[in-house]
Amino acid sequence: MDNGWIDLSTSPIAAGDGPVIVWHVYNGVMVERRDRPASNRFMTHWQEINETAWIDAGDRKPTEEDADAYDCVISQDRWGDIGMAGWHRFEREPCPIRWQHVPDPPINFRELRKTIR
């Protein structure tokens, strides 16, 4: 099971519009521009952002339990920009308008960490 992640060493990021998420071995999930090649050797996997997984912050704000190990969720602000945000930002700021859970890491991320050192 790969949790939806695509290995960058065998499948580069697909061309198209909008950002994608990448798995960074040390920093976890990051949002990257699709037109920027993943040249960082610590970025090992990628996947499309799930457009059907958005949760409107007006309906439900994320909680600490919704966040990843870095206390973040994938967020979109009122201007349409997508990035990573701390779950607590939704309580304090009006800018993030929707969010989604961060996918689980690739199963083999601990092994990948050993090979990249």
Side-chain angles (χ1 to χ4, degrees):
M1 177 82 176
D2 60 9
N3 296 324
W5 293 101
I6 301 166
D7 189 331
L8 264 168
S9 67
T10 58
S11 298
I13 295 173
D17 294 327
V20 294
I21 54 176
V22 296
W23 176 259
H24 188 284
V25 174
Y26 295 100
N27 297 332
V29 175
M30 300 169 61
V31 176
E32 282 291 322
R33 288 179 23 190
R34 186 182 293 276
D35 62 345
R36 194 161 126 199
S39 58
N40 183 321
R41 70 183 178 139
F42 299 113
M43 292 180 186
T44 61
H45 291 76
W46 72 277
Q47 67 177 273
E48 301 289 343
I49 293 173
N50 184 347
E51 289 300 326
T52 64
W54 290 112
I55 300 166
D56 188 315
D59 294 338
R60 181 167 100 74
K61 290 179 174 39
T63 65
E64 186 174 7
E65 290 75 33
D66 294 313
D68 68 2
Y70 298 95
D71 285 335
C72 291
V73 294
I74 300 169
S75 70
Q76 185 174 35
D77 65 24
R78 66 173 72 172
W79 300 280
D81 294 328
I82 296 173
M84 300 299 292
W87 66 268
H88 57 280
R89 283 190 57 204
F90 287 80
E91 290 295 329
R92 299 181 202 159
E93 299 175 23
C95 294
I97 59 167
R98 61 185 191 160
W99 64 278
Q100 60 180 270
H101 293 96
V102 175
D104 289 333
I107 294 299
N108 60 351
F109 80 98
R110 286 191 174 90
E111 290 303 314
L112 284 169
R113 197 177 279 179
K114 291 177 190 173
T115 63
I116 293 173
R117 287 186 182 171

